[in-house]
Amino acid sequence: QVQLDESGGGLVQAGGSLRLSCAASGRTSRSDAMGWFRQAPGKEREFVAATSWSRGNIYYGYYAESVKGRFTISRDNAKNTVDLQMNSLKPEDTAVYYCAAAPNAGGSYYTTEAAYDYWGQGTQVTVSS
């Protein structure tokens, strides 16, 4: 059983930055794939970013086209956290952001909701124009 708790959401102006953090507890492993999704009001939940593994400052990140070049995912296995650094924010980025975990993924990463077994409760990000 894994519990995920997001934090760091808030209100920022367009062009600004925000850093989200997801803390994991329970039976977690560095082999887990971790991801970030978001859901705007009235819209489907969509993929934002994912990472399969990290060691120190080395990790592999994968991004949706809408956030590529602006967002960076990182992971600290010692602390069981995964972060999402969001730069050059746009009003279109406004959504509830969720972190997710897929156990025993090895070097794999996933971009679909079905691949993830555990989800956090979400944190609100609002970007004003």
Coordinates of all heavy atoms in Angstrom, one line a residue, residues 45-122:
R45 N -8.5 14.0 -17.3 CA -7.2 14.0 -16.7 C -6.2 13.7 -17.8 O -6.4 12.8 -18.6 CB -7.1 13.0 -15.6 CG -5.8 13.1 -14.8 CD -5.8 12.1 -13.6 NE -6.9 12.4 -12.7 CZ -7.2 11.8 -11.5 NH1 -6.3 10.8 -11.2 NH2 -8.2 12.1 -10.8
E46 N -5.1 14.5 -17.8 CA -4.1 14.3 -18.9 C -2.7 14.2 -18.3 O -2.4 14.7 -17.2 CB -4.1 15.5 -19.8 CG -3.7 16.8 -19.2 CD -3.7 18.0 -20.2 OE1 -3.8 17.7 -21.4 OE2 -3.5 19.1 -19.8
F47 N -1.9 13.5 -19.1 CA -0.5 13.3 -18.7 C 0.3 14.6 -18.8 O 0.1 15.4 -19.7 CB 0.1 12.2 -19.6 CG 1.6 12.1 -19.5 CD1 2.2 11.4 -18.4 CD2 2.4 12.6 -20.5 CE1 3.5 11.3 -18.3 CE2 3.8 12.5 -20.4 CZ 4.3 11.8 -19.3
V48 N 1.2 14.7 -17.8 CA 2.1 15.9 -17.8 C 3.5 15.5 -17.9 O 4.3 15.9 -18.8 CB 1.9 16.7 -16.5 CG1 2.9 17.9 -16.4 CG2 0.4 17.2 -16.4
A49 N 4.0 14.6 -17.0 CA 5.4 14.2 -16.9 C 5.5 12.9 -16.2 O 4.7 12.5 -15.4 CB 6.2 15.3 -16.3
A50 N 6.6 12.2 -16.5 CA 6.9 10.9 -15.8 C 8.4 10.7 -15.7 O 9.2 11.2 -16.5 CB 6.2 9.8 -16.6
T51 N 8.8 9.9 -14.7 CA 10.2 9.5 -14.6 C 10.2 8.1 -14.1 O 9.3 7.6 -13.3 CB 10.9 10.4 -13.6 OG1 12.3 10.0 -13.6 CG2 10.4 10.3 -12.2
S52 N 11.1 7.3 -14.5 CA 11.2 5.9 -14.2 C 12.2 5.5 -13.1 O 12.0 4.6 -12.3 CB 11.5 5.0 -15.4 OG 12.8 5.4 -16.0
W53 N 13.2 6.3 -13.0 CA 14.3 6.0 -12.0 C 15.2 7.2 -11.8 O 15.4 8.0 -12.8 CB 15.1 4.9 -12.5 CG 16.2 4.4 -11.6 CD1 16.1 3.5 -10.6 CD2 17.6 4.8 -11.7 NE1 17.3 3.3 -10.0 CE2 18.2 4.1 -10.6 CE3 18.3 5.6 -12.5 CZ2 19.6 4.3 -10.4 CZ3 19.7 5.8 -12.2 CH2 20.3 5.1 -11.2
S54 N 15.8 7.4 -10.7 CA 16.7 8.4 -10.4 C 17.8 7.9 -9.4 O 17.5 7.0 -8.6 CB 16.1 9.7 -9.9 OG 15.6 9.5 -8.6
R55 N 19.0 8.4 -9.6 CA 20.1 8.2 -8.6 C 20.8 9.4 -8.5 O 21.5 9.9 -9.4 CB 21.0 7.0 -9.2 CG 22.1 6.7 -8.2 CD 22.9 5.6 -8.8 NE 24.0 5.2 -7.9 CZ 24.9 4.2 -8.1 NH1 24.8 3.6 -9.3 NH2 25.8 3.9 -7.3
G56 N 20.8 10.0 -7.3 CA 21.4 11.3 -7.0 C 20.6 12.3 -7.9 O 19.4 12.5 -7.8
N57 N 21.4 13.0 -8.7 CA 20.8 14.0 -9.5 C 20.5 13.5 -11.0 O 20.2 14.3 -11.8 CB 21.7 15.3 -9.6 CG 21.8 16.0 -8.3 OD1 20.8 16.1 -7.6 ND2 22.9 16.5 -8.0
I58 N 20.7 12.2 -11.2 CA 20.5 11.6 -12.5 C 19.1 11.0 -12.5 O 18.8 10.2 -11.7 CB 21.6 10.6 -12.8 CG1 23.0 11.2 -12.7 CG2 21.3 10.0 -14.1 CD1 24.1 10.3 -12.9
Y59 N 18.4 11.4 -13.5 CA 17.1 10.8 -13.7 C 16.7 11.0 -15.2 O 17.3 11.8 -15.9 CB 16.0 11.5 -12.8 CG 15.9 13.0 -13.0 CD1 15.0 13.5 -13.9 CD2 16.8 13.8 -12.3 CE1 15.0 14.9 -14.1 CE2 16.7 15.2 -12.4 CZ 15.8 15.7 -13.3 OH 15.7 17.1 -13.5
Y60 N 15.6 10.3 -15.6 CA 15.1 10.4 -16.9 C 13.6 11.0 -16.9 O 12.8 10.4 -16.2 CB 15.1 9.1 -17.6 CG 16.5 8.5 -17.8 CD1 17.0 7.7 -16.9 CD2 17.2 8.9 -18.9 CE1 18.3 7.2 -17.0 CE2 18.5 8.4 -19.1 CZ 19.1 7.5 -18.1 OH 20.3 7.0 -18.3
G61 N 13.4 12.0 -17.6 CA 12.1 12.6 -17.6 C 11.4 12.6 -19.0 O 12.1 12.7 -20.0
Y62 N 10.1 12.5 -18.9 CA 9.3 12.4 -20.2 C 8.2 13.3 -20.0 O 7.5 13.4 -19.0 CB 8.9 10.9 -20.4 CG 10.0 10.0 -20.4 CD1 10.4 9.4 -19.2 CD2 10.8 9.7 -21.5 CE1 11.5 8.5 -19.1 CE2 11.9 8.8 -21.5 CZ 12.2 8.3 -20.3 OH 13.3 7.4 -20.2
Y63 N 7.8 14.1 -21.1 CA 6.9 15.2 -20.9 C 5.9 15.2 -22.0 O 6.1 14.8 -23.2 CB 7.7 16.5 -20.9 CG 8.7 16.5 -19.9 CD1 10.0 16.1 -20.1 CD2 8.4 17.0 -18.6 CE1 11.0 16.2 -19.1 CE2 9.4 17.0 -17.6 CZ 10.7 16.6 -17.9 OH 11.6 16.6 -16.9
A64 N 4.7 15.7 -21.7 CA 3.7 16.0 -22.7 C 4.2 17.2 -23.5 O 4.9 18.0 -23.1 CB 2.4 16.4 -22.0
E65 N 3.8 17.2 -24.8 CA 4.2 18.3 -25.7 C 3.8 19.7 -25.2 O 4.5 20.6 -25.4 CB 3.6 18.0 -27.1 CG 4.2 16.9 -27.8 CD 5.7 17.1 -28.1 OE1 6.1 18.3 -28.4 OE2 6.5 16.2 -28.1
S66 N 2.7 19.7 -24.5 CA 2.2 21.0 -24.0 C 3.1 21.6 -22.9 O 3.0 22.8 -22.7 CB 0.8 20.9 -23.5 OG 0.7 19.9 -22.4
V67 N 3.9 20.8 -22.3 CA 4.8 21.3 -21.2 C 6.2 21.2 -21.4 O 7.1 21.6 -20.6 CB 4.4 20.7 -19.8 CG1 2.9 20.8 -19.5 CG2 4.8 19.2 -19.8
K68 N 6.6 20.5 -22.5 CA 8.0 20.2 -22.8 C 8.8 21.5 -22.9 O 8.4 22.5 -23.6 CB 8.1 19.4 -24.1 CG 9.5 18.9 -24.4 CD 9.4 18.0 -25.6 CE 10.8 17.4 -25.9 NZ 10.8 16.5 -27.1
G69 N 9.9 21.5 -22.3 CA 10.8 22.7 -22.3 C 10.4 23.7 -21.2 O 11.2 24.6 -20.9
R70 N 9.3 23.5 -20.5 CA 8.9 24.4 -19.4 C 8.9 23.7 -18.1 O 9.2 24.3 -17.0 CB 7.5 25.0 -19.7 CG 7.4 25.8 -21.0 CD 6.1 26.5 -21.1 NE 5.0 25.6 -21.2 CZ 4.0 25.5 -20.3 NH1 4.0 26.3 -19.2 NH2 3.0 24.6 -20.4
F71 N 8.5 22.4 -18.0 CA 8.4 21.7 -16.8 C 9.6 20.7 -16.7 O 10.1 20.1 -17.7 CB 7.1 20.9 -16.8 CG 5.9 21.7 -16.6 CD1 5.9 23.1 -16.7 CD2 4.6 21.1 -16.4 CE1 4.8 23.9 -16.6 CE2 3.5 21.8 -16.2 CZ 3.5 23.2 -16.3
T72 N 10.0 20.4 -15.5 CA 11.0 19.4 -15.2 C 10.6 18.5 -14.0 O 10.3 19.0 -13.0 CB 12.4 20.1 -14.9 OG1 12.8 20.9 -16.0 CG2 13.5 19.0 -14.7
I73 N 10.7 17.2 -14.3 CA 10.3 16.3 -13.2 C 11.7 15.8 -12.6 O 12.6 15.6 -13.3 CB 9.5 15.1 -13.7 CG1 9.0 14.2 -12.5 CG2 10.3 14.3 -14.7 CD1 8.0 13.2 -13.0
S74 N 11.7 15.6 -11.3 CA 12.8 15.1 -10.6 C 12.4 14.2 -9.4 O 11.2 14.2 -9.0 CB 13.7 16.2 -10.1 OG 13.0 17.0 -9.1
R75 N 13.3 13.4 -9.0 CA 13.0 12.4 -8.0 C 14.1 12.2 -7.0 O 15.3 12.2 -7.3 CB 12.7 11.0 -8.6 CG 12.3 9.9 -7.7 CD 11.8 8.7 -8.5 NE 11.4 7.6 -7.6 CZ 10.9 6.5 -8.1 NH1 10.8 6.3 -9.4 NH2 10.6 5.5 -7.2
D76 N 13.7 12.2 -5.7 CA 14.7 11.9 -4.6 C 14.3 10.6 -3.9 O 13.3 10.6 -3.1 CB 14.7 13.1 -3.6 CG 15.8 13.0 -2.6 OD1 16.2 11.9 -2.2 OD2 16.2 14.0 -2.1
N77 N 15.0 9.6 -4.2 CA 14.6 8.3 -3.7 C 14.8 8.1 -2.2 O 14.1 7.4 -1.5 CB 15.3 7.1 -4.4 CG 14.8 6.9 -5.8 OD1 13.6 6.8 -6.0 ND2 15.7 6.9 -6.8
A78 N 15.8 8.8 -1.7 CA 16.1 8.8 -0.3 C 15.0 9.4 0.6 O 14.7 8.9 1.7 CB 17.4 9.5 0.0
K79 N 14.4 10.4 0.0 CA 13.3 11.1 0.7 C 11.9 10.6 0.2 O 10.9 11.0 0.8 CB 13.3 12.6 0.5 CG 14.6 13.2 1.1 CD 14.6 14.7 0.8 CE 15.8 15.4 1.4 NZ 15.8 16.9 1.2
N80 N 11.9 9.7 -0.8 CA 10.6 9.2 -1.4 C 9.7 10.4 -1.8 O 8.6 10.5 -1.5 CB 9.9 8.4 -0.4 CG 10.3 6.9 -0.4 OD1 10.9 6.5 -1.3 ND2 9.8 6.1 0.6
T81 N 10.4 11.3 -2.6 CA 9.6 12.4 -3.1 C 9.9 12.5 -4.6 O 10.9 12.1 -5.1 CB 10.0 13.7 -2.5 OG1 11.4 14.0 -2.6 CG2 9.7 13.7 -1.0
V82 N 8.9 13.1 -5.3 CA 9.1 13.4 -6.7 C 8.5 14.8 -6.9 O 7.4 15.2 -6.4 CB 8.3 12.4 -7.6 CG1 6.9 12.3 -7.3 CG2 8.5 12.8 -9.1
D83 N 9.3 15.7 -7.6 CA 9.0 17.1 -7.7 C 8.6 17.4 -9.2 O 9.0 16.7 -10.1 CB 10.1 18.0 -7.3 CG 10.3 17.9 -5.8 OD1 9.5 17.3 -5.0 OD2 11.3 18.6 -5.3
L84 N 7.9 18.5 -9.4 CA 7.7 19.0 -10.7 C 7.9 20.5 -10.7 O 7.2 21.3 -10.0 CB 6.2 18.7 -11.1 CG 5.8 19.1 -12.5 CD1 6.5 18.2 -13.5 CD2 4.3 19.1 -12.7
Q85 N 9.0 20.9 -11.3 CA 9.4 22.3 -11.4 C 8.7 22.8 -12.7 O 8.9 22.4 -13.8 CB 10.9 22.5 -11.5 CG 11.3 23.9 -11.7 CD 11.0 24.8 -10.5 OE1 11.3 24.4 -9.4 NE2 10.5 26.0 -10.7
M86 N 7.9 23.9 -12.5 CA 7.1 24.4 -13.5 C 7.5 25.9 -13.8 O 7.4 26.7 -12.9 CB 5.6 24.4 -13.2 CG 5.1 23.0 -12.9 SD 3.3 22.9 -12.6 CE 3.2 23.9 -11.1
N87 N 8.0 26.1 -14.9 CA 8.5 27.5 -15.3 C 7.6 28.0 -16.5 O 7.0 27.2 -17.2 CB 10.0 27.4 -15.7 CG 10.8 27.0 -14.6 OD1 10.6 27.3 -13.4 ND2 11.9 26.3 -14.9
S88 N 7.7 29.3 -16.7 CA 7.0 29.9 -17.8 C 5.5 29.5 -17.9 O 5.0 29.1 -18.9 CB 7.7 29.6 -19.2 OG 9.0 30.0 -19.2
L89 N 4.9 29.6 -16.7 CA 3.5 29.1 -16.6 C 2.6 29.9 -17.4 O 2.7 31.1 -17.6 CB 3.1 29.1 -15.1 CG 3.7 27.9 -14.3 CD1 3.6 28.2 -12.8 CD2 3.0 26.6 -14.6
K90 N 1.6 29.2 -17.9 CA 0.5 29.8 -18.8 C -0.8 29.6 -18.1 O -1.0 28.6 -17.3 CB 0.5 29.2 -20.2 CG 1.8 29.2 -20.9 CD 1.7 28.4 -22.2 CE 3.0 28.4 -22.9 NZ 2.9 27.6 -24.2
P91 N -1.8 30.4 -18.4 CA -3.2 30.2 -17.9 C -3.7 28.8 -18.2 O -4.5 28.2 -17.4 CB -4.0 31.3 -18.5 CG -3.0 32.4 -18.8 CD -1.7 31.7 -19.1
E92 N -3.3 28.2 -19.3 CA -3.7 26.9 -19.7 C -3.2 25.8 -18.8 O -3.7 24.7 -18.9 CB -3.3 26.6 -21.2 CG -3.8 27.6 -22.2 CD -2.7 28.7 -22.5 OE1 -2.6 29.6 -21.6 OE2 -2.0 28.6 -23.5
D93 N -2.2 26.1 -18.0 CA -1.7 25.2 -17.0 C -2.5 25.1 -15.8 O -2.3 24.2 -14.9 CB -0.3 25.6 -16.6 CG 0.7 25.5 -17.8 OD1 0.6 24.6 -18.6 OD2 1.6 26.4 -17.9
T94 N -3.5 25.9 -15.6 CA -4.4 25.9 -14.5 C -5.1 24.5 -14.4 O -5.8 24.1 -15.3 CB -5.4 27.0 -14.5 OG1 -4.7 28.3 -14.4 CG2 -6.4 26.9 -13.4
A95 N -5.0 23.8 -13.3 CA -5.6 22.5 -13.1 C -5.3 22.0 -11.7 O -4.4 22.6 -11.0 CB -5.1 21.5 -14.2
V96 N -5.9 20.9 -11.4 CA -5.5 20.2 -10.2 C -4.4 19.2 -10.7 O -4.6 18.4 -11.6 CB -6.7 19.4 -9.5 CG1 -6.2 18.5 -8.4 CG2 -7.7 20.4 -9.1
Y97 N -3.3 19.2 -10.0 CA -2.2 18.3 -10.4 C -2.1 17.1 -9.4 O -2.2 17.3 -8.2 CB -0.9 19.1 -10.3 CG -0.7 20.0 -11.5 CD1 -1.5 21.1 -11.7 CD2 0.2 19.7 -12.5 CE1 -1.4 22.0 -12.8 CE2 0.4 20.5 -13.6 CZ -0.4 21.6 -13.8 OH -0.3 22.4 -14.9
Y98 N -1.9 15.9 -10.0 CA -1.9 14.7 -9.2 C -0.5 14.0 -9.5 O -0.1 13.9 -10.6 CB -3.0 13.7 -9.7 CG -4.4 14.3 -9.5 CD1 -5.0 15.0 -10.5 CD2 -5.1 14.0 -8.3 CE1 -6.3 15.5 -10.3 CE2 -6.4 14.5 -8.1 CZ -7.0 15.2 -9.1 OH -8.3 15.7 -9.0
C99 N 0.0 13.4 -8.5 CA 1.1 12.5 -8.7 C 0.6 11.1 -8.6 O -0.4 10.8 -8.0 CB 2.3 12.7 -7.7 SG 1.9 12.4 -5.9
A100 N 1.4 10.2 -9.3 CA 1.0 8.8 -9.4 C 2.2 7.9 -9.3 O 3.3 8.3 -9.7 CB 0.2 8.5 -10.6
A101 N 2.0 6.6 -8.9 CA 3.1 5.7 -8.8 C 2.7 4.3 -9.4 O 1.5 3.9 -9.3 CB 3.5 5.4 -7.3
A102 N 3.6 3.7 -10.1 CA 3.5 2.4 -10.7 C 4.6 1.5 -10.2 O 5.7 1.7 -10.5 CB 3.5 2.5 -12.2
P103 N 4.3 0.6 -9.3 CA 5.3 -0.3 -8.7 C 6.0 -1.2 -9.6 O 5.5 -1.6 -10.7 CB 4.5 -1.1 -7.7 CG 3.2 -0.4 -7.4 CD 2.9 0.3 -8.7
N104 N 7.3 -1.4 -9.3 CA 8.1 -2.4 -10.0 C 8.2 -2.2 -11.5 O 8.1 -3.1 -12.3 CB 7.6 -3.8 -9.7 CG 7.6 -4.2 -8.3 OD1 8.5 -3.9 -7.6 ND2 6.5 -4.7 -7.8
A105 N 8.4 -0.9 -11.9 CA 8.4 -0.6 -13.3 C 9.8 -0.7 -13.9 O 10.0 -0.7 -15.1 CB 7.9 0.9 -13.5
G106 N 10.8 -0.8 -13.0 CA 12.2 -0.9 -13.5 C 12.6 0.4 -14.3 O 12.4 1.5 -13.7
G107 N 13.0 0.2 -15.5 CA 13.4 1.4 -16.3 C 12.3 1.9 -17.1 O 12.5 2.8 -17.9
S108 N 11.1 1.4 -17.0 CA 9.9 1.8 -17.8 C 9.3 3.1 -17.3 O 9.5 3.5 -16.1 CB 8.9 0.8 -17.8 OG 9.4 -0.4 -18.4
Y109 N 8.7 3.9 -18.1 CA 7.9 5.0 -17.8 C 6.6 4.9 -18.5 O 6.4 4.2 -19.5 CB 8.6 6.3 -18.2 CG 8.7 6.5 -19.6 CD1 7.8 7.3 -20.3 CD2 9.7 6.0 -20.4 CE1 7.9 7.5 -21.7 CE2 9.8 6.2 -21.7 CZ 8.9 7.0 -22.4 OH 9.0 7.2 -23.7
Y110 N 5.5 5.6 -17.9 CA 4.2 5.5 -18.4 C 3.6 6.8 -18.6 O 3.8 7.7 -17.8 CB 3.4 4.6 -17.5 CG 4.0 3.3 -17.2 CD1 4.5 3.0 -16.0 CD2 4.0 2.3 -18.2 CE1 5.1 1.7 -15.7 CE2 4.6 1.0 -18.0 CZ 5.1 0.8 -16.7 OH 5.7 -0.4 -16.5
T111 N 2.7 7.0 -19.6 CA 2.0 8.2 -19.9 C 0.5 8.1 -19.8 O -0.2 9.1 -20.1 CB 2.4 8.7 -21.3 OG1 2.0 7.8 -22.3 CG2 3.9 8.9 -21.4
T112 N 0.0 6.9 -19.4 CA -1.4 6.7 -19.3 C -1.8 6.4 -17.9 O -1.1 5.9 -17.1 CB -1.9 5.5 -20.2 OG1 -1.2 4.3 -19.8 CG2 -1.5 5.8 -21.7
E113 N -3.1 6.8 -17.6 CA -3.6 6.7 -16.2 C -3.6 5.2 -15.8 O -3.4 4.9 -14.7 CB -5.0 7.2 -16.1 CG -5.1 8.7 -16.3 CD -6.5 9.2 -16.1 OE1 -7.1 8.9 -15.0 OE2 -7.0 9.9 -17.0
A114 N -4.0 4.3 -16.8 CA -4.2 2.9 -16.5 C -2.9 2.2 -16.0 O -3.0 1.2 -15.3 CB -4.7 2.2 -17.7
A115 N -1.8 2.8 -16.3 CA -0.5 2.2 -15.9 C -0.2 2.4 -14.4 O 0.7 1.7 -13.9 CB 0.6 2.7 -16.8
Y116 N -0.8 3.3 -13.8 CA -0.5 3.7 -12.4 C -1.5 3.1 -11.4 O -2.7 3.1 -11.6 CB -0.5 5.2 -12.3 CG 0.7 5.8 -13.0 CD1 0.5 6.2 -14.4 CD2 1.9 6.0 -12.4 CE1 1.6 6.8 -15.1 CE2 3.0 6.6 -13.1 CZ 2.8 6.9 -14.5 OH 3.9 7.5 -15.2
D117 N -1.0 2.6 -10.3 CA -1.8 2.0 -9.3 C -2.2 2.9 -8.1 O -3.2 2.7 -7.5 CB -1.0 0.8 -8.7 CG -0.8 -0.3 -9.8 OD1 -1.7 -0.5 -10.6 OD2 0.2 -1.0 -9.7
Y118 N -1.3 3.9 -7.9 CA -1.6 4.8 -6.7 C -1.6 6.2 -7.1 O -0.8 6.7 -8.0 CB -0.5 4.5 -5.7 CG -0.4 3.1 -5.2 CD1 0.6 2.2 -5.7 CD2 -1.3 2.6 -4.3 CE1 0.7 0.9 -5.3 CE2 -1.2 1.3 -3.8 CZ -0.2 0.5 -4.4 OH -0.2 -0.9 -4.0
W119 N -2.5 7.0 -6.5 CA -2.7 8.4 -6.8 C -2.8 9.2 -5.5 O -3.3 8.8 -4.5 CB -4.0 8.5 -7.6 CG -3.9 7.9 -8.9 CD1 -4.1 6.6 -9.2 CD2 -3.6 8.5 -10.2 NE1 -4.0 6.4 -10.6 CE2 -3.7 7.5 -11.2 CE3 -3.3 9.8 -10.5 CZ2 -3.4 7.8 -12.5 CZ3 -3.0 10.1 -11.9 CH2 -3.1 9.1 -12.8
G120 N -2.3 10.4 -5.6 CA -2.5 11.4 -4.6 C -3.8 12.1 -4.7 O -4.6 11.9 -5.6
Q121 N -4.1 13.0 -3.8 CA -5.4 13.7 -3.7 C -5.4 14.9 -4.6 O -6.5 15.5 -4.9 CB -5.7 14.1 -2.3 CG -6.0 12.9 -1.4 CD -7.1 12.0 -1.9 OE1 -8.2 12.6 -2.1 NE2 -6.9 10.7 -2.0
G122 N -4.2 15.4 -5.0 CA -4.1 16.5 -5.9 C -3.9 17.8 -5.2 O -4.2 18.0 -4.0

